[in-house]
Amino acid sequence: MANWLVLSAFIAVTVVIAQAVRLLFMVINGWRNRKKAVGVFHPYTNDGGGGERVLWCAVKAIQDVNPNLDCVIYTGDHDASPDSLSGRALDRFGVKLIHPPKVPFTSRLHQVVHLHRRKWVEETTYPRFTMIGQSFGSIYLSWEALCKYTPLYYFDTSGYAFTYPVARIFGCKVFSYTHYPTISLDMLSRVRGRSSMYNNDSLIAKSAILSRFKVVYYTLFGWLYSFVGSCAHLAMVNSSWTQSHIEKLWGIPARIRRVYPPCDTSRLQALPLEKSMKPPKIVSVAQFRPEKAHPLQLEAFAVAIKKLDQDLPRPIIQLVGSCRNEADEKRLQNLKDLAIKLNVDDHVEFHKNVMYRLLGGAVAGIHSMTDEHFGISVVEYMAAGAIPIAHNSAGPRMDIVLPENGKQTGFLAQGVEEYAEAIIEVIKMPENKRLEIAAAARKRASMFSEQRFYEDFKAAVRPIFCDGTK
């Protein structure tokens, strides 16, 4: 029996050592074969929206700064090809790449690297402890990426901070564009305060023991997040709110740069500021996800209709968005049921993917997510001449809905009553006052243009490329 235990222990140790040696040789091989390229870690290249726009605008900006660098895209979309990705960048976002990703010319050099282990970063893989599960899963996925192709520069555009130490091990210069911290100080304070929200289940919020356990979990995760984030040579962030949290969490303020995301304001600014008030239309543009707080919008709208004077026109609210999965489809149906319950279904419309047409006729745009890191939809409202009614927190409060040359650019609100009052004020507002606010809002939106993104992004990354070529 003793001999068997000794033999088992010996075999186990041998296997561990062999695996460690194998991993070491993989890293050494990666170091030796590093290519003069930027590896862009973006596992979901067809996710649409602001994140994908940042991806392609960033690739174009990198090509402008250093045309001699290849831009290699790490993607888990197996149907993605070099041609389809460059075509998507142009057709969907109007971004023309200088030299689109090409078909690999040897079996070892890829311009598009397909990842086969993306399931390890998918939310559905981790019914519990999703945050830590996806973070550790990203380590595994980045290992696959860097073993297949090791670039001189590693660029994360999707917020996978746990991949940074892996890239450093492979000898890469690491830089990132962070839309939203994986964990924020606000999340921790909500758990401590036992506040129920989309990211803090009511069952946990009601239990002192479960809340304490979650505080410990979040605190430990925060320490890990702080360590991995500090491995970035450069961290670009999309807003003042994100910058504040990342600086406190990662502790590298000297390496953090604020680069506002590229918003497609040019087409929207061509829309007329004059809007029809027969009836006044309010638009809401957001995916049908829990954090977007669509029920609050409907409840506030119902209160506003009840409070409106009888001689004023009844407004229409148009909810525009998309559904990622069955859960979102169910959420959309629940919103339709809520509109009936609130007796406003005759004044509510639901649309999918027809944003620009609806923005052209909207007098106001409503946004209700708490701690929206930036708020691209709010910028789009302003560019289109729709007066924004946004949540009084994070990006909208700190960066977007601010006075322009001393003039009001919109409304900030919290809670059903404040949103309802803002809706009523927009509808009752004299035409000249509404046009004055809309014009100021449009001017404010111009500071979040694609051109501004290109300028700020290139200024941020130039020192990284200069250091890497010494």
Side-chain angles (χ1 to χ4, degrees):
M1 182 65 177
N3 290 337
W4 172 249
L5 290 175
V6 170
L7 180 61
S8 298
F10 175 77
I11 293 173
V13 170
T14 302
V15 169
V16 169
I17 293 174
Q19 186 66 14
V21 170
R22 175 175 171 271
L23 295 178
L24 179 61
F25 272 106
M26 291 169 75
V27 171
I28 293 173
N29 185 61
W31 268 81
R32 288 176 175 173
N33 293 287
R34 278 182 301 168
K35 304 297 188 296
K36 191 178 179 182
V38 178
V40 186
F41 192 74
H42 199 100
Y44 297 88
T45 46
N46 63 351
D47 55 358
E52 192 181 347
R53 178 182 291 279
V54 167
L55 165 66
W56 299 121
C57 288
V59 169
K60 186 178 186 302
I62 290 169
Q63 292 176 335
D64 284 342
V65 172
N66 193 335
N68 296 320
L69 284 174
D70 281 334
C71 285
V72 179
I73 311 298
Y74 298 114
T75 176
D77 297 314
H78 296 152
D79 58 344
S81 68
D83 287 339
S84 71
L85 290 182
S86 57
R88 183 178 174 86
L90 180 61
D91 296 341
R92 189 174 177 88
F93 302 105
V95 178
K96 186 175 182 180
L97 302 181
I98 298 173
H99 45 85
K102 301 172 184 176
V103 176
F105 56 84
T106 74
S107 61
R108 298 181 66 179
L109 178 59
H110 302 262
Q111 303 298 109
V112 174
V113 177
H114 291 104
L115 306 177
H116 300 284
R117 296 179 174 86
R118 192 175 68 180
K119 70 175 184 179
W120 296 110
V121 297
E122 291 177 358
E123 185 179 341
T124 53
T125 305
Y126 311 97
R128 294 288 182 270
F129 300 101
T130 308
M131 188 166 61
I132 193 71
Q134 288 180 296
S135 296
F136 278 97
S138 71
I139 296 175
Y140 189 40
L141 189 63
S142 66
W143 185 274
E144 178 194 0
L146 291 164
C147 285
K148 286 184 172 180
Y149 187 100
T150 308
L152 187 58
Y153 304 98
Y154 175 88
F155 179 32
D156 165 48
T157 55
S158 300
Y160 292 107
F162 277 69
T163 66
Y164 304 169
V166 179
R168 290 286 291 260
I169 289 172
F170 276 83
C172 304
K173 282 275 187 177
V174 178
F175 63 109
S176 64
Y177 190 92
T178 301
H179 298 267
Y180 196 84
T182 305
I183 187 170
S184 70
L185 303 176
D186 292 341
M187 290 167 63
L188 189 55
S189 65
R190 287 193 195 105
V191 177
R192 283 186 175 133
R194 296 172 63 184
S195 174
S196 178
M197 205 174 172
Y198 65 88
N199 56 4
N200 190 37
D201 189 89
S202 59
L203 179 65
I204 294 175
K206 292 176 182 177
S207 169
I209 294 175
L210 291 177
S211 291
R212 260 192 221 104
F213 178 78
K214 192 166 184 178
V215 166
V216 172
Y217 167 49
Y218 271 23
T219 301
L220 292 173
F221 184 85
W223 289 343
L224 290 172
Y225 188 63
S226 176
F227 167 72
V228 297
S230 68
C231 292
H233 293 91
L234 167 68
M236 288 172 282
V237 294
N238 69 339
S239 68
S240 299
W241 181 87
T242 304
Q243 181 175 358
S244 174
H245 283 273
I246 291 297
E247 284 182 350
K248 291 174 183 175
L249 288 163
W250 291 2
I252 52 170
R255 286 180 261 158
I256 294 173
R257 300 287 182 274
R258 189 193 319 156
V259 179
Y260 291 123
C263 301
D264 185 18
T265 58
S266 56
R267 280 188 295 170
L268 296 172
Q269 286 174 327
L271 296 171
L273 288 179
E274 295 77 12
K275 314 283 183 177
S276 171
M277 297 294 285
K278 298 179 180 180
K281 294 175 182 175
I282 301 167
V283 70
S284 168
V285 179
Q287 284 185 323
F288 294 108
R289 291 156 50 182
E291 64 267 30
K292 298 302 181 180
H294 288 96
L296 183 151
Q297 297 177 11
L298 290 179
E299 290 166 12
F301 182 73
V303 171
I305 284 184
K306 289 178 182 177
K307 288 187 174 182
L308 274 174
D309 297 337
Q310 290 301 315
D311 59 332
L312 290 174
R314 304 294 98 173
I316 290 175
I317 187 169
Q318 300 169 316
L319 276 67
V320 184
S322 59
C323 297
R324 303 163 298 173
N325 47 42
E326 288 185 15
D328 285 356
E329 292 285 355
K330 183 178 180 181
R331 198 168 288 113
L332 174 57
Q333 184 58 52
N334 289 340
L335 289 172
K336 293 178 180 179
D337 295 340
L338 178 61
I340 295 172
K341 181 179 178 181
L342 294 171
N343 199 31
V344 293
D345 51 303
D346 289 341
H347 304 280
V348 180
E349 298 176 0
F350 295 91
H351 300 269
K352 289 187 180 182
N353 304 320
V354 288
M355 177 180 63
Y356 293 112
R357 177 172 62 81
L358 294 177
L359 278 177
V363 298
I366 192 167
H367 158 280
S368 53
M369 177 178 170
T370 301
D371 289 340
E372 174 76 87
H373 41 99
F374 179 68
I376 287 179
S377 63
V378 180
V379 173
E380 290 172 337
Y381 299 158
M382 295 165 74
I387 295 175
I389 304 172
H391 196 274
N392 191 15
S393 64
R397 180 176 68 187
M398 299 173 72
D399 292 310
I400 303 174
V401 189
L402 297 177
E404 181 65 28
N405 293 331
K407 295 181 179 179
Q408 182 183 359
T409 59
F411 296 87
L412 295 171
Q414 280 183 308
V416 171
E417 290 299 326
E418 289 188 14
Y419 272 95
E421 289 302 320
I423 291 171
I424 293 171
E425 189 164 348
V426 170
I427 294 171
K428 293 172 64 175
M429 191 178 292
E431 179 71 0
N432 63 334
K433 177 65 173 176
R434 190 192 65 76
L435 288 174
E436 180 182 290
I437 295 177
R442 173 169 285 180
K443 186 175 181 182
R444 176 76 188 166
S446 64
M447 72 174 294
F448 306 109
S449 65
E450 282 190 9
Q451 186 58 38
R452 172 71 179 270
F453 172 84
Y454 287 130
E455 292 171 1
D456 292 349
F457 185 94
K458 287 189 279 189
V461 301
R462 276 194 186 99
I464 289 291
F465 293 152
C466 290
D467 290 344
T469 56
K470 288 180 180 178

